[in-house]
């Protein structure tokens, strides 16, 4: 079933804050999840023209859709499609305390039930502040540097994993073995040097783990920034996609009209046939000048007025004759 933007917008605009209305419309949206991008775009359009009550109802609707979709295997389709529109809608309504109060409750639920990632929730909460989308859009991302950081971290993680595996297989209960093997002072000094060397290696490994952890935290921040960047890109791409879909629909409509014209040979505003006579100078009412044309246009009207006056005079004479008789 093909859904039109008008039909979707009308359906979404009719949502109110009652449980029945929200759940019914939510089931309808999930049923048509193959058209998630179109529905999300229309949801945003309906949100822009709605009052505060309508905006809250649309937020509740999107909340219900996202929570129910989270339980499904293809949850990413609707969740990721709605994600950029959540940010836009929150930013659009940031000046309404009533709406933002409802948004805060929804975002708390999202965080508690892990509907969206931490970075996406951070973007949604940031949209409540005065920071404009233009500032976020100016953020730059060095993909090559991020790729190198990820590759470097993965290599370091492999080294750490091998070291942890080696330590897990090591036997640190060597007190009795040392006693049995240590016969004199020289053996004791040898074992002491080995222990100090092992301790140094363990200290170096511990420091490497701390450094690797900090590197991972820094990489995580970079990945979160990349997610925000790509979410903005996704939102822009979604807008462009929606525009092209509407443009394509317009082209299809024009194509159908042209095909209908070809079949019926009816062309609105068509040119006259080739054998039609060409206009001559006599066909131009202003060929003799504007004043002449004005007089010609006025002359018939004056004759009509005279005729009317004559008729009125004749009626007066007839009426007078009846009165005399």
């Amino acid at each position: 079933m093909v859904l039109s933007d008008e039909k979707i917008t009308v359906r979404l605009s009719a949502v109110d804050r009652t449980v029945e209305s929200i759940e019914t419309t939510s089931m309808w949206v999930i049923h048509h999840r193959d058209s998630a991008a179109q529905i999300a775009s229309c949801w945003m359009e309906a949100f822009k023209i709605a009052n505060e009550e309508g905006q809250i109802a649309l937020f509740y609707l999107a909340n219900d859709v996202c929570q129910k979709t989270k339980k499904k295997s293809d949850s990413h389709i609707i969740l990721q499609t709605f994600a950029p529109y959540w940010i836009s809608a929150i930013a659009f309504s940031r000046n309404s305390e009533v709406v933002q109060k409802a948004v805060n409750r929804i975002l708390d639920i999202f965080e508690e039930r892990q509907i969206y990632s931490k970075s996406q929730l951070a973007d949604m909460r940031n949209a409540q502040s005065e920071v404009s989308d233009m500032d976020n859009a100016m953020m730059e991302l060095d993909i090559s540097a991020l790729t190198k950081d990820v590759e470097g971290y993965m290599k370091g993680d492999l080294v750490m994993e091998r070291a942890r595996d080696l330590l897990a297989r090591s036997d640190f209960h060597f007190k009795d073995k040392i006693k049995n093997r240590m016969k004199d002072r020289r053996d004791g000094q040898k074992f002491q040097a080995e222990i100090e060397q092992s301790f140094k290696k363990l200290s170096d490994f511990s420091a490497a783990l701390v450094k690797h952890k900090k590197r991972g935290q820094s990489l995580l921040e970079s990945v979160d920034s990349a997610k925000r960047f790509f979410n903005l890109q996704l939102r822009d791409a979604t807008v462009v996609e929606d525009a092209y879909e509407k443009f394509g629909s317009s082209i299809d409509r024009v194509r159908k009209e042209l095909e209908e014209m070809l079949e019926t040979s009816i062309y609105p505003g068509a040119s006259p046939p080739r054998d039609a006579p060409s206009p001559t100078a006599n066909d131009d009412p202003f060929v003799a000048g504007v004043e002449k044309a004005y007089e010609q246009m006025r002359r018939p009207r004056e004759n009509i007025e005279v005729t009317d006056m004559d008729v009125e005079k004749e009626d007066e004479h007839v009426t007078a004759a009846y009165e005399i008789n």
Side-chain angles (χ1 to χ4, degrees), residues 217-231:
Q217 291 173 344
S218 176
L219 179 61
L220 183 61
E221 293 177 359
S222 299
V223 171
D224 287 339
S225 298
K227 286 182 179 179
R228 290 194 294 270
F229 176 82
F230 286 119
N231 278 333

Side-chain angles (χ1 to χ4, degrees), residues 191-204:
F191 283 126
Q192 183 179 1
E194 291 178 356
I195 291 173
E196 289 177 353
Q197 185 180 7
S198 299
F199 179 77
K200 184 178 182 303
K201 289 183 178 180
L202 286 174
S203 299
D204 292 342

Side-chain angles (χ1 to χ4, degrees), residues 83-99:
Y85 291 104
W86 271 105
I87 298 174
S88 299
I90 292 173
F92 185 84
S93 60
R94 67 162 62 102
N95 295 325
S96 173
E97 294 182 2
V98 178
V99 177

Side-chain angles (χ1 to χ4, degrees), residues 70-84:
K70 183 68 175 179
K71 303 175 183 178
K72 299 182 179 295
S73 58
D74 55 350
S75 61
H76 65 281
I77 297 177
I78 289 183
L79 289 177
Q80 299 309 318
T81 301
F82 267 91

Side-chain angles (χ1 to χ4, degrees), residues 20 104 134 249:
E20 181 181 0
N104 286 329
M134 185 61 68
S249 300

